[in-house]
Amino acid sequence: LIVLFVCLVFFFQAEDGIRDAQESRGLGDVYKRQVEYFAGRFEQLFRSWFRLVVPGGLIAVVEIDGLFSCHAPQRNGGAMAFQEMEHAMSEQGYDCFAARTVAAAMAAAGLEVVLSSNWQDGELAFNGAASEQVLRAWRNRFDRMVFPGEHFGDALAARRGGFMDCLESTAHTTTSQIRLVVGRRPCT
């Protein structure tokens, strides 16, 4: 199982996009990063990938379980405000808790879930004060994401500031996790 895991990580990092059996030289694995655009439609996505994977082939997905509202302590109702924003985002097709649905969607699409593993992540799923590099990554995330500005309007600067203060706090905790889910197409 450890060798399989190492191979998945290596190939997952090296490939981006869907590969069919011929293009993958018989590896039969499907790799895709950034599937968040299919949030709520994972089963449909996995069914389409299922036919591209040879029997015994694998589909590996890394998704997030919590983005903004899962960080504490946030002041002035920040967690509730971000929870409302995340709900609005999910209505627009971006699920900040998509990892919760991946395994069930794989199983519903006919894949055997062979691994579901939560990871700590130095940027998205960590406890304690964030490093300057992590803070910079979050500032960049706020700068490139359109939705927080649309949702909070004039209150964005205050919400962003409160969130960044939370990340800088030595008391910072999060329930956010990064989840790797691996599904295998049955051999029969």
Side-chain angles (χ1 to χ4, degrees), residues 5-188:
F5 177 74
V6 171
C7 290
L8 284 174
V9 172
F10 172 76
F11 283 116
F12 183 80
Q13 293 295 325
E15 298 295 334
D16 190 12
I18 298 173
R19 297 177 0 154
D20 66 25
Q22 183 177 10
E23 292 173 338
S24 67
R25 298 168 307 285
L27 293 175
D29 299 337
V30 173
Y31 304 94
K32 179 69 178 121
R33 295 186 306 189
Q34 299 184 347
V35 295
E36 72 272 6
Y37 301 108
F38 294 95
R41 300 181 317 187
F42 279 128
E43 183 179 343
Q44 174 188 349
L45 175 68
F46 297 143
R47 285 187 192 283
S48 71
W49 287 358
F50 183 92
R51 57 189 164 74
L52 300 175
V53 180
V54 298
L58 303 170
I59 296 175
V61 175
V62 176
E63 259 298 351
I64 192 165
D65 184 18
L67 188 56
F68 293 100
S69 64
C70 56
H71 294 273
Q74 293 189 47
R75 65 176 190 256
N76 300 326
M80 179 69 77
F82 279 109
Q83 186 176 30
E84 291 169 3
M85 182 191 79
E86 289 166 340
H87 177 74
M89 289 173 73
S90 72
E91 290 178 349
Q92 299 294 317
Y94 187 103
D95 186 356
C96 296
F97 298 91
R100 296 176 183 186
T101 63
V102 171
M106 280 187 174
L111 297 162
E112 173 192 359
V113 176
V114 296
L115 178 67
S116 181
S117 175
N118 292 329
W119 298 350
Q120 285 288 321
D121 180 86
E123 180 182 331
L124 300 170
F126 65 94
N127 293 318
S131 69
E132 183 53 43
Q133 181 180 3
V134 169
L135 294 171
R136 186 173 36 257
W138 277 97
R139 284 190 292 271
N140 290 340
R141 181 171 288 109
F142 272 104
D143 289 344
R144 83 172 171 268
M145 288 184 79
V146 174
F147 207 90
E150 290 177 350
H151 183 78
F152 291 124
D154 293 338
L156 176 63
R159 288 293 173 214
R160 177 181 170 157
F163 186 83
M164 298 304 292
D165 289 347
C166 168
L167 295 180
E168 290 181 64
S169 171
T170 57
H172 167 258
T173 61
T174 187
T175 57
S176 179
Q177 296 181 354
I178 304 301
R179 187 166 303 145
L180 167 67
V181 183
V182 181
R184 175 179 25 226
R185 181 175 173 175
C187 291
T188 57

